[in-house]
């Protein structure tokens, strides 16, 4: 890759190992993994269950730290940050979308979306306004006052996406965002992610088991035995 | 800082909002704590009640003279001559009838308790006229005073309520005789209210006491007169006595029973408290783990672990506070003013008292509840907060 492209990398993963210890058992999940993702890319990450897709996504999102190697996200080294600094960094720079939405059942859609803004110095009115904009982007303005249990799976996931983009992060990390949805709702979510990628230039990494979902991305990588490849191996 | 406060506020506010969804376990924790507090306050109110009785017995600038070496009236003995010499000492208040010095003696009689029917030791006190002036608050409330020289008795209100056979018109058996009850008296809530009074001159021959007494109760001119009064008596070669201010005397008398009941109350409360702590711990563990995903999500979004801990602790403190309030309220409704009798360990006779649930006890009860709540909330909260975020998200 050229020097120019290197500087436009959103994600730079170099020689990352991740080891989990469970009692005396040591699990090598990632081994010497390298990955570069340019700004504005929509990357699909596939691979067998247990291959470490979520683990890799957690490392990139600053939810966990590597056992070995470096991670540079948006020009910042995050592999040696303290818990506290990582938490603050996450709040500002990444949007997380979960398979099971992870909404707060006692909060309305609007309040759920506002949640990450509580970590900023924005005024109440400003928070409200931004949450409304995010809900509008995902097409859920008419459901703002509803509680998660009153929303369909697809609507809950759109709320989840609104929550992920409300702080305007450049990087969106989605772990099986359509994994719990039927085809139609899943397609709507993928449309939405594609639009966020094309129109707003969000860099997106999406873990998926679904080949149709992966087809929406600009590139697909396969994780197997702790390494990435461009081809599926079985 | 701004961040921290707003995070605590945000997290606490929705953990509170999810309380109604966890009605069952929250109510269980609350009631457990309420029970512990009710029992603790109830038991400690006994000690407070006894203490109050003892304190009410203390007259302003009153003194008591016992034989030296005697720790209680029970163990003391004074001759009739002794009591006359004591009454001549300087510093004693005087009224129309002379020095306000009351030589008294008492014996223990057995009477059945109203509540249980079992025999209880009740003091039967022989008095002379000054007994009623020494005790400022002495007042006949029913019937009449006994006739001097006759074997009639009057009974304290406490004794009247707690023991059977002391109604006006009935008589108590003393040896082969029957002594009629002719009146009921109050003594400002003091110990005398647990007693039965008779003319000392009647009591002495009936129990073969010759002309002996056990104590002389004194009303002094003022508290300042006590030193002179005491010095005179202790330096008199004819006497071998120990003068004390009533406040000192009752302090020494009440400490035994007070410490015993208070100690017992504390032990019971601690044992029950441990049970409640485990109950509360269990509830909070369940409450916290049912919200594990929520907590993990919040932390993934960038909320810090500290505010999460604080919010869980706040919730458990709130439950404990309400539980403590309920428990203290129940104890107050059930016990305050409830009259009972207990053994006076100093004289081995019964004293009657009212359970005294006072503000201090209520506050103690609620503080105790909050301590249980703090412990019950802190451990599960810390556990939730120490889990790495990625692991918590996996629901491990
Ligand atoms: N905190 C942890 N402690 C111990 N082992 C872990 C931990 N996190 C992940 N693992 C192990 O690491 C391996 C990879 O897990 P990971 O969740 O990343 O897989 P995945 O590719 O996302 O699988 P799936 O497709 O089922 O979601 C698994 O064997 C898992 O058991
Ligand atoms: Mg996974």
């Amino acid at each position: 890759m050229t020097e120019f492209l290197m500087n436009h990398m959103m994600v730079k993963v170099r020689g990352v190992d991740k080891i989990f210890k469970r009692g005396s058992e040591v699990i090598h999940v990632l081994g010497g993994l390298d990955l570069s993702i340019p700004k504005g890319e929509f990357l699909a990450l596939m691979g067998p269950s247990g291959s470490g897709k979520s683990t890799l996504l957690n490392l990139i999102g600053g939810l966990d730290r590597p056992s070995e190697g470096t991670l540079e996200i948006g020009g910042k080294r995050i592999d040696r940050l303290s818990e506290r600094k990582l938490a603050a960094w996450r709040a500002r720079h990444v949007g997380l979308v979960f398979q099971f939405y992870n909404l707060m059942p006692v909060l309305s859609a609007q309040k759920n979306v506002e949640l990450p803004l509580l970590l900023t110095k924005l005024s109440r009115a400003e928070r409200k306004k931004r949450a409304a904009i995010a809900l509008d982007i995902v097409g859920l303005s008419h459901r703002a006052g509803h509680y998660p249990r009153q929303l369909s799976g697809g609507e809950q996931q759109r709320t989840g996406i609104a929550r992920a983009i409300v702080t305007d992060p450049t990087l969106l990390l989605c772990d099986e965002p359509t994994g719990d949805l039927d085809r139609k709702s899943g397609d709507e979510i993928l449309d939405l992610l594609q639009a966020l990628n094309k129109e707003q230039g969000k860099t997106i990494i999406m873990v998926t088991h679904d080949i149709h979902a992966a087809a929406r991305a600009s590139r697909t990588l396969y994780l197997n035995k702790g390494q990435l490849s461009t081809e599926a191996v079985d | 800082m701004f961040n921290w406060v707003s995070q605590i506020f945000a997290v606490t506010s929705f953990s509170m909002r999810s309380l109604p969804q966890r009605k069952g376990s929250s109510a269980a924790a609350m009631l457990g704590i309420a029970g512990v507090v009710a029992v603790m306050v109830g038991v400690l109110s006994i000690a407070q009640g006894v203490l109050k009785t003892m304190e009410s017995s203390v007259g302003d600038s009153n003194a008591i003279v016992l034989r030296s070496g005697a720790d209680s009236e029970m163990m003391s003995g004074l001759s009739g001559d002794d009591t006359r010499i004591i009454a001549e000492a300087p510093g004693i208040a005087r009224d129309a009838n002379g020095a306000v010095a009351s030589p008294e003696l008492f014996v223990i009689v057995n009477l059945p308790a109203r509540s249980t029917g079992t025999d209880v030791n009740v003091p039967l006190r022989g008095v002379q006229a000054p007994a009623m002036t020494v005790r400022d608050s002495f007042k006949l409330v029913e019937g009449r005073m006994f006739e001097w020289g006759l074997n009639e008795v009057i009974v304290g209100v406490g004794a009247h309520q707690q023991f059977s056979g002391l109604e006006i018109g009935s008589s108590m058996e003393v040896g082969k005789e029957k002594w009629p009850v002719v009146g009921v008296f109050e003594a400002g809530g003091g110990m005398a209210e647990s007693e039965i009074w008779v003319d000392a001159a009647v009591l002495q021959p009936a129990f073969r006491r010759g002309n002996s007494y056990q104590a002389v109760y004194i009303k002094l001119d003022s508290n300042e007169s006590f030193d002179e009064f005491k010095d005179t008596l202790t330096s008199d070669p004819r006497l071998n006595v120990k003068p004390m201010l009533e406040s000192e005397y009752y302090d020494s008398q009440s400490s035994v029973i007070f410490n015993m009941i208070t100690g017992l109350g504390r032990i019971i409360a601690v044992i029950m408290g441990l049970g409640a702590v485990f109950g509360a711990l269990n509830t909070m563990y369940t409450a916290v783990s049912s919200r594990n995903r929520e907590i993990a999500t919040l932390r993934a979004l960038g909320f810090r672990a500290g505010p999460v801990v604080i919010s869980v602790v706040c919730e458990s403190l709130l439950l404990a506070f309400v539980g403590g309030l309920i428990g203290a309220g129940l104890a107050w409704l059930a016990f305050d003013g409830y009259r009972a009798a207990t053994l006076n360990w100093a004289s081995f006779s019964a004293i009657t008292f009212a359970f005294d649930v006072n503000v201090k006890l209520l506050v103690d009860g609620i503080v105790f509840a909050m301590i249980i709540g703090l412990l019950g909330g802190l451990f599960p909260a810390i556990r939730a907060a120490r889990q790495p975020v990625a692991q918590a998200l996996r629901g491990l």
Side-chain angles (χ1 to χ4, degrees):
Chain A
M1 259 180 251
T2 68
E3 188 65 18
F4 172 78
L5 268 181
M6 287 300 285
N7 288 335
H8 284 76
M9 286 302 162
M10 186 67 211
V11 175
K12 278 197 258 181
V13 178
R14 294 293 175 264
V16 160
D17 287 2
K18 183 66 188 176
I19 296 166
F20 289 113
K21 291 198 183 76
R22 215 181 285 158
S24 58
E25 194 189 354
V26 178
I27 310 162
H28 290 263
V29 181
L30 305 175
L33 187 136
D34 292 326
L35 171 64
S36 297
I37 304 171
K39 269 196 186 114
E41 184 168 57
F42 184 174
L43 176 76
L45 198 55
M46 300 192 73
S49 187
S51 58
K53 303 181 296 295
S54 298
T55 302
L56 177 56
L57 209 62
N58 285 344
L59 290 176
I60 294 172
L63 291 162
D64 205 352
R65 274 170 293 195
S67 312
E68 217 37 82
T70 64
L71 287 136
E72 194 179 309
I73 316 293
K76 181 161 177 76
R77 280 281 298 274
I78 62 159
D79 48 276
R80 293 288 171 269
L81 290 183
S82 65
E83 273 280 330
R84 171 195 292 267
K85 290 211 167 108
L86 266 182
W89 177 83
R90 280 199 302 274
R92 285 182 153 209
H93 299 284
V94 291
L96 299 168
V97 177
F98 305 91
Q99 176 175 1
F100 299 106
Y101 332 123
N102 291 19
L103 301 174
M104 304 292 141
V106 290
L107 300 182
S108 66
Q110 161 88 26
K111 288 282 174 196
N112 263 290
V113 175
E114 250 186 76
L115 212 47
L117 297 179
L118 293 175
L119 297 172
T120 67
K121 289 194 162 80
L122 294 176
S123 68
R124 179 186 279 263
E126 186 66 16
R127 291 201 304 258
K128 247 188 122 159
K129 197 175 115 199
R130 295 205 185 183
I133 293 171
L135 275 173
D136 187 45
I137 291 173
V138 301
L140 270 189
S141 299
H142 60 299
R143 289 273 191 268
H146 287 54
Y147 288 86
R149 62 175 182 281
Q150 302 168 325
L151 300 173
S152 73
E155 287 169 334
Q156 289 187 56
Q157 191 58 298
R158 282 195 271 159
T159 309
I161 292 173
R163 181 180 65 188
I165 61 174
V166 75
T167 52
D168 198 24
T170 37
L171 183 61
L172 281 187
L173 303 177
C174 315
D175 199 345
E176 304 185 37
T178 59
D180 202 45
L181 298 176
D182 59 36
R183 164 110 286 145
K184 185 171 164 294
S185 323
D187 279 341
E188 286 167 13
I189 294 299
L190 292 166
D191 290 342
L192 185 55
L193 290 178
Q194 251 184 330
L196 287 169
N197 173 245
K198 293 236 167 64
E199 289 154 28
Q200 311 215 8
K202 304 283 182 211
T203 308
I204 301 178
I205 308 176
M206 174 178 72
V207 169
T208 183
H209 282 288
D210 178 3
I211 198 92
H212 297 284
R216 303 289 201 100
S218 42
R219 177 163 65 125
T220 302
L221 288 175
Y222 299 86
L223 189 56
N224 201 17
K225 305 224 165 70
Q227 296 282 337
L228 282 168
S229 66
T230 49
E231 298 294 325
V233 271
D234 25 30
Chain B
M1 197 55 221
F2 156 81
N3 234 324
W4 243 69
V5 175
S6 68
Q7 285 189 38
I8 291 169
F9 186 77
V11 180
T12 307
S13 87
F14 46 80
S15 79
M16 294 295 169
R17 281 205 247 173
S18 70
L19 264 181
Q21 294 170 1
R22 293 176 277 125
K23 264 190 234 104
S25 61
S26 310
M30 224 154 64
L31 291 181
I33 290 174
V36 173
V37 170
V39 170
M40 179 183 108
V41 171
V43 173
L44 293 184
S45 77
I46 297 175
Q48 294 289 329
V50 170
L51 192 65
K52 201 168 169 181
T53 301
M54 297 280 188
E55 278 169 356
S56 315
S57 304
V58 175
D60 264 355
S61 45
N62 273 24
I64 179 170
V65 184
L66 302 178
R67 187 175 63 202
S68 72
D71 288 327
S72 69
E73 213 181 340
M74 180 86 172
M75 289 181 274
S76 173
L78 299 169
S79 70
D81 288 340
D82 290 343
T83 65
R84 259 188 307 280
I85 299 169
I86 292 166
E88 284 161 6
I92 302 179
R94 308 186 73 82
D95 64 10
N97 304 316
V100 187
S102 165
E104 301 176 8
L105 76 160
F106 77 92
V107 297
I108 298 293
V109 293
N110 276 317
L111 286 176
R114 249 185 228 284
S115 52
T116 57
T118 52
D119 273 1
V120 178
N121 291 334
V122 182
L124 173 59
R125 182 177 294 271
V127 297
Q128 296 180 1
M132 288 118 214
T133 31
V134 149
R135 294 173 179 81
D136 301 309
S137 41
F138 177 89
K139 197 168 93 200
L140 263 183
V141 289
E142 233 182 283
R144 59 171 176 84
M145 183 59 196
F146 58 71
E147 293 277 347
W148 297 102
L150 293 186
N151 53 9
E152 295 173 341
V153 301
I154 56 174
V155 301
V157 283
H160 182 64
Q161 278 176 24
Q162 297 292 321
F163 312 117
S164 39
L166 295 183
E167 296 76 24
I168 292 178
S170 60
S171 16
M172 45 181 290
E173 280 182 36
V174 178
K176 293 195 182 70
E177 297 177 42
K178 286 195 182 304
W179 293 8
V181 177
V182 298
V184 178
F185 67 91
E186 279 178 0
M191 298 258 277
E193 290 187 357
S194 315
E195 300 173 342
I196 302 168
W197 283 10
V198 64
D199 184 351
V202 173
L203 190 67
Q204 282 170 335
F207 286 83
R208 289 190 207 87
R209 292 292 185 90
N211 185 25
S212 78
Y213 295 87
Q214 278 157 285
V216 182
Y217 286 78
I218 304 286
K219 178 156 284 297
L220 295 167
D221 281 335
S222 70
N223 271 333
E224 285 72 56
S225 322
F226 179 68
D227 286 340
E228 190 194 2
F229 171 74
K230 180 179 176 177
D231 290 345
T232 309
L233 293 188
T234 46
S235 59
D236 192 321
R238 296 169 295 176
L239 292 174
N240 185 19
V241 296
K242 177 162 76 172
M244 282 176 280
L245 279 171
E246 272 191 2
S247 52
E248 298 172 71
Y249 176 66
Y250 284 113
D251 268 355
S252 68
Q253 297 296 292
S254 60
S255 60
V256 182
I257 184 168
F258 183 72
N259 292 342
M260 197 144 174
I261 298 176
T262 310
L264 197 69
R266 297 247 156 87
I267 291 169
I268 293 173
V270 165
I271 292 171
M272 291 192 57
L274 278 178
V277 167
F278 284 114
L281 268 175
N282 192 30
T283 320
M284 295 316 295
Y285 265 115
T286 327
V288 172
S289 59
S290 72
R291 290 167 56 214
N292 258 349
R293 185 131 75 120
E294 271 176 53
I295 292 172
T297 307
L298 286 172
R299 293 179 60 203
L301 294 178
F303 285 84
R304 302 264 305 123
V308 171
V309 171
I310 291 174
S311 103
V312 172
V313 170
C314 282
E315 177 185 326
S316 121
L317 281 179
L318 178 80
L319 291 182
F321 178 72
V322 177
L325 222 54
I326 294 174
L330 282 178
W332 185 69
L333 286 177
F335 298 129
D336 192 39
Y338 176 73
R339 289 202 74 95
T342 185
L343 194 66
N344 178 353
W345 271 269
S347 68
F348 294 102
S349 58
I351 53 173
T352 63
F353 64 93
F355 281 57
D356 182 23
V357 181
N358 54 31
V359 176
K360 184 187 167 299
L361 272 189
L362 294 178
V363 171
D364 279 0
I366 292 169
V367 168
F368 185 64
M370 303 282 278
I371 293 173
I372 296 176
L374 182 70
L375 295 178
L378 200 58
F379 292 116
I382 288 178
R383 190 184 72 146
R386 286 176 77 140
Q387 218 186 6
V389 191
Q391 190 175 321
L393 268 181
R394 298 175 68 91
L396 292 179

